[in-house]
DNA sequence: CTGTTAGCGCCTTCAC
DNA sequence: GTGAAGGCGCTAACAG
């Protein structure tokens, strides 16, 4: 059974194709009687408008390209959900693009909206190729992965404020020697989180000790490496703030390997509140980003943009929240900043 | 600068639009001289064919809907990557659909390919609404999440065989009392894994003890609950096979809480080889599925299907591999099947 | 309120 | 080898 066209419906209903089109698009602009006739014919033929034709005629696709830095980043999962939800609710579809740190890929996905395969672009890459000036981008919304110096509509969190929140939690528990494992420095997001950590210390009249900062890369291994490095250099601390949960888990494992207990010997705070946070032992105190909300908001901005609505603001800040679990506690008064005795649990 | 059309190019080159179209589609069907002229005009105007118009005319979209059971399942991440890679390489785009266990959503995504918004459908839902007979589906490939009784082209692993592999690993280490935490029974995948576990035992002349099977749900909590249940019922074992890594991590945490060491007191094998497996302490022995390959293969089948190529086979089995890490070891000869003494690490 | 008409941008016979 | 012409299926003025 081949698709029936609007023409067939018109014939069957005894009206013109224009009337069929109208009945479907603006049912109120048509007589009760004709509406019945048309709808009846539609039912009989099983007619469904050919979206390709409709879109072609309307010069719109109702597709939006979602271009991410790395499609396999589990952090994005809830954002995917938020974006898809709002897209679905508004009749849009989401085209998945994986940038993979590759300019050519980014360019091709951007071209897809230029070529009218999609109406807009949600960018979660953190960069655009130097060869593509921002002004030449199509309708674009930036989510989460900030692009330095961009003036495009953006939804994200205040990383600096969030890092302060985490550090202040440790401070309020009484910790004074607080270490920090950063993300790759040079990335706006990592820099901001480090700044927030420093700000919190200074606000508490603690002079930041550079020895307490370890340059990580957001991966498990650098969390472990950080602990080993601190140990080798005999750097003592009772609090540890990690710029993401994965490094926090790596750090906790390494601490355990050295016979240190969390939180009795070291309190650990993560960032992102991923599944990691719940499944780690002990469950991790972490900064939660409203990931689904970020996705929803980004898509909402896109919908408004495409509808020609003026944006209330070109910058939307999503709020964060500190989720306190069992990885943080007041410092153990008996052992100040020294390294606890080594006492491996391994055989 | 608005998009230039084929007409403008034709004018500028002093030829007909048909010639322009030909030059671009079949450069060899045109004189050297005219080709030059046309390509020159194309360059000058920056002409790029309007994909919407081309697709409309050709009645193809080069879009494929990827409909998944739950978009936030981290297991899918590498599959997304595989699918996107092959799509990208073949000029296709991937539309992301989240089924969310909701018939209406599934129906709407299926309609998208009926309505010519996409050419095909990759199903990773594990079900289709009863109201939609399989025969009425558009061009479809099933990946990973099997649909019972389906005859559609499918790519997946042999779950039974994989579970045997995991269990046999424990057996070969010398374990005789091996427990199993299952997924939700009734799901084809869970059932098969449980069957594989039983098969392996029987093949080793061990009569399966029903007390050693715990009905889980693939979540962390059921891994913990299982250990508590075994403890309460005084069920002893030295090997544990979990139908996914998340439950394995939950089980390990709970074991640690009871003062049991992994692998000295209990060897644990997981399934899926997720990030969990690497970040857990100790790193988890697990069955790895070639997730990216599964994605690539599914998309390859789709491309072939849409190209009208006959499929070599309607069933493609992806191979699995056991990744041995530190969570498994030979059983401790001194303490057979009894519960080890309880000796909490908590203060 | 309804029908007629004119395309959207491109591809593809069919003559020349 | 090239051009003219006829749509693809639908929407949106514009008249009636």
């Amino acid at each position: 059974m081949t698709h029936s066209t609007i023409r067939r419906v018109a014939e069957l209903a005894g009206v013109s194709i224009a009337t069929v089109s109208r009945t479907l698009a603006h049912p109120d602009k048509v007589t009760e009687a004709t509406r019945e006739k048309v709808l009846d014919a539609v039912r009989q033929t099983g007619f469904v408008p050919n979206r390709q034709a409709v879109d072609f005629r309307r010069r719109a696709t109702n597709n939006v390209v979602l271009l991410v830095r790395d499609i396999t980043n589990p952090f994005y999962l809830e954002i995917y959900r938020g974006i898809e939800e709002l897209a679905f609710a508004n009749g849009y579809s989401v085209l998945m693009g994986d940038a993979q740190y590759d300019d050519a890929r980014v360019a091709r996905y951007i071209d897809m909206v230029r070529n009218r395969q999609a109406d807009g672009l949600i960018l979660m890459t953190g960069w655009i190729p130097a060869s593509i000036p921002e002004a030449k981008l199509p309708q674009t919304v930036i989510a989460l992965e900030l692009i330095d110096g961009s003036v495009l509509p953006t939804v994200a969190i205040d990383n600096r404020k969030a890092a302060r929140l985490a550090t202040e939690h440790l401070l309020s528990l009484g910790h004074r020697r607080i270490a920090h494992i950063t993300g790759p420095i040079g990335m706006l997001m990592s820099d901001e989180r480090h700044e927030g950590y420093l700000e919190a210390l200074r606000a508490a009249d603690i002079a930041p000790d550079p020895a307490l900062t370890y340059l990580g890369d957001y991966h498990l291994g650098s969390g472990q490496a950080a602990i080993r490095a601190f140990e080798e250099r005999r750097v003592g601390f009772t609090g540890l703030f990690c710029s993401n949960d994965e490094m926090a888990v790596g750090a906790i494992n390494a601490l355990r390997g050295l016979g240190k207990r969390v939180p009795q010997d070291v309190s650990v705070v993560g960032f992102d509140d991923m599944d990691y946070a719940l499944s780690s032992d002990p469950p991790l105190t972490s900064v939660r980003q409203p990931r689904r909300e970020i996705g929803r908001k980004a898509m909402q901005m896109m919908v408004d943009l495409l509808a020609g609505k003026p944006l209330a603001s070109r910058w939307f800040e999503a709020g964060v929240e500190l989720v306190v679990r069992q990885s943080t506690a007041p410092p153990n008064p008996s052992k100040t900043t020294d390294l606890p005795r080594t006492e491996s649990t391994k055989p």
Side-chain angles (χ1 to χ4, degrees), chain A:
Chain A
M1 139 169 137
T2 178
H3 263 195
S4 40
T5 96
I6 198 175
R7 222 167 296 277
R8 185 134 72 192
V9 177
E11 247 175 85
L12 218 148
V15 298
S16 76
I17 60 168
T19 300
V20 176
S21 176
R22 255 187 234 108
T23 309
L24 266 30
H26 320 280
D28 48 319
K29 298 212 160 207
V30 137
T31 310
E32 168 80 37
T34 57
R35 198 185 317 141
E36 300 263 295
K37 280 192 301 184
V38 171
L39 259 27
D40 235 43
V42 166
R43 249 170 263 128
Q44 282 180 50
T45 56
F47 170 72
V48 180
N50 177 329
R51 269 291 293 271
Q52 250 188 317
V54 173
D55 289 348
F56 172 51
R57 179 58 228 246
R58 288 217 177 114
R59 299 151 161 296
T61 63
N62 284 319
N63 288 161
V64 168
V65 171
L66 170 61
L67 184 57
V68 303
R69 177 198 294 276
D70 171 1
I71 202 174
T72 65
N73 187 340
F75 183 81
Y76 296 157
L77 286 171
E78 284 291 337
I79 298 184
Y80 296 160
R81 162 150 287 167
I83 288 177
E84 193 270 354
E85 276 179 354
L86 229 89
F88 191 84
N90 287 276
Y92 280 89
S93 305
V94 181
L95 287 165
M96 262 297 201
D98 189 11
Q100 290 190 27
Y101 304 91
D102 176 358
D103 274 9
R105 281 182 150 264
V106 173
R108 209 167 114 187
Y109 275 106
I110 291 176
D111 277 341
M112 284 180 46
V113 10
R114 290 227 182 90
N115 300 348
R116 308 235 40 69
Q117 280 201 262
D119 302 336
L121 175 66
I122 298 181
L123 265 187
M124 295 205 318
T125 55
W127 101 99
I128 50 176
S131 58
I132 303 179
E134 184 167 299
K136 297 199 74 176
L137 285 183
Q139 299 279 47
T140 301
V141 169
I142 292 179
L144 195 78
E145 304 272 9
L146 300 172
I147 298 183
D148 212 352
S150 167
V151 298
L152 294 168
T154 299
V155 42
I157 63 163
D158 183 332
N159 284 287
R160 183 184 304 223
K161 195 194 290 178
R164 274 191 73 145
L165 193 65
T167 311
E168 283 164 357
H169 168 63
L170 291 169
L171 288 166
S172 74
L173 285 171
H175 295 274
R176 310 292 292 171
R177 293 279 295 169
I178 300 174
H180 180 213
I181 310 180
T182 72
I185 290 303
M187 252 180 94
L188 191 54
M189 178 189 293
S190 311
D191 293 354
E192 293 273 307
R193 290 181 190 175
H194 186 53
E195 272 306 319
Y197 156 78
L198 296 176
E199 275 180 19
L201 291 183
R202 289 198 205 97
D205 280 327
I206 298 178
D209 176 355
L212 285 172
T213 291
Y214 182 88
L215 179 58
D217 62 7
Y218 289 136
H219 293 299
L220 195 79
S222 69
Q224 300 169 320
I227 298 303
R228 282 198 300 270
F230 287 139
E231 164 89 354
E232 273 172 28
R233 299 176 199 148
R234 301 275 148 201
V235 177
F237 54 90
T238 64
L240 172 63
F241 166 48
C242 303
S243 274
N244 79 350
D245 288 346
E246 196 172 331
M247 295 193 295
V249 169
I252 289 178
N253 287 354
L255 285 167
R256 192 180 0 249
L258 294 174
K260 299 191 199 175
R261 295 163 306 165
V262 175
Q264 293 87 343
D265 301 319
V266 179
S267 283
V268 179
V269 180
F271 202 112
D272 288 346
D273 193 33
M274 303 283 291
D275 284 349
Y276 278 112
L278 258 178
S279 68
S280 80
D281 183 21
L284 193 64
T285 294
S286 189
V287 178
R288 170 183 294 162
Q289 303 192 42
R291 298 184 278 151
R292 184 146 153 214
E293 275 313 301
I294 291 173
R296 293 175 65 92
K297 185 67 188 178
M299 190 67 209
Q300 183 64 62
M301 284 174 114
M302 189 81 251
V303 170
D304 290 348
L305 216 57
L306 294 178
K309 282 191 208 159
L311 260 41
S313 158
R314 300 191 78 72
W315 165 260
F316 181 85
E317 181 184 329
V320 299
E321 176 192 1
L322 184 76
V323 182
V324 177
R325 298 205 182 81
Q326 285 81 62
S327 68
T328 48
N332 188 331
S334 70
K335 34 169 75 168
T336 65
T337 66
D338 284 342
L339 285 173
R341 71 197 176 294
T342 299
E343 170 190 85
S344 174
T345 57
K346 300 264 166 82

